[in-house]
Amino acid sequence: MRWLTAAGASGSARRGNGDGLGMGWRGLLLLLAFLVSGSLLTKGGGRRNARQVIANGGAAAAAALLGSWPAFAGAIAAATADTWATEIGAHSSSAPRLITTRAAVPPGAHGGVTLLGTVGGVLGAVMIATLAWVTGPRDLRLAGVVTVAGVAGMLIDSLLGATVQGPNDQWLDNDAVNLATTLAGAVIAAAGWRLYC
């Protein structure tokens, strides 16, 4: 598969087995929605390796094995929102701004955000939230919780990129930030579902 390296395909298959065991076909559908949409938006298809698969999907796999649909969907929504924001934002005609200071930064800089990218990220979170609602509990509060978790994860990713990751990955690299992003999405969705539902 041109979207994954050999190691990435192996890791994705193992992760898919975990998602399938925990969430069945609906979990695999959300996973496929993230993988296909992200790969189509990424220039050249964006071949993912095993570490990237774990970084983007480890939290969702853990949530699936624990049987938490909101946490699973929240993790996938965060990964999707972050990917869409990055890839759609790359087409912005205005320069990215650092999320912490609003200073202009070069395209692709860690922590840089654009209006176009942010809107794209929100749409990615909404897509996953809609699928989670259609295939899971038909409760609009679930869609709202998953959307919020996805958008929050995307913003946390940018905040971490601007602070602890920085221009030279001095504290965390991109995979570690992505793992933190999806963990945040899972925790926020699970907490929101428990609080409001």
Side-chain angles (χ1 to χ4, degrees):
M1 180 180 289
R2 65 184 179 88
W3 294 335
L4 299 165
T5 65
S10 175
S12 187
R14 288 194 299 272
R15 185 196 150 191
N17 286 336
D19 292 349
L21 286 172
M23 294 295 150
W25 66 269
R26 61 183 186 159
L28 293 175
L29 179 64
L30 261 64
L31 176 60
L32 189 62
F34 161 67
L35 177 62
V36 172
S37 67
S39 296
L40 289 175
L41 287 172
T42 301
K43 186 176 181 179
R47 288 168 63 86
R48 290 172 172 82
N49 60 35
R51 197 164 187 263
Q52 291 168 324
V53 168
I54 292 169
N56 283 293
L65 291 174
L66 291 172
S68 176
W69 180 243
F72 175 82
I76 298 290
T80 304
D82 176 49
T83 300
W84 283 35
T86 299
E87 301 306 330
I88 293 174
H91 300 285
S92 176
S93 59
S94 59
R97 298 276 176 175
L98 203 61
I99 193 170
T100 51
T101 65
R102 301 296 298 151
V105 292
H110 299 314
V113 297
T114 63
L115 178 60
L116 181 64
T118 301
V119 170
V122 170
L123 292 176
V126 168
M127 179 195 72
I128 295 298
T130 301
L131 285 175
W133 174 73
V134 168
T135 58
R138 291 296 183 91
D139 189 327
L140 284 176
R141 292 174 296 181
L142 174 67
V145 163
V146 172
T147 299
V148 168
V151 173
M154 170 188 70
L155 295 175
I156 289 169
D157 184 278
S158 295
L159 185 60
L160 291 174
T163 54
V164 295
Q165 185 177 10
N168 300 310
D169 295 350
Q170 62 258 38
W171 296 107
L172 296 176
D173 66 8
N174 197 57
D175 291 333
V177 170
N178 285 342
L179 180 59
T181 296
T182 55
L183 279 170
V187 170
I188 291 168
W193 182 251
R194 180 179 292 270
L195 181 63
Y196 295 112
C197 306

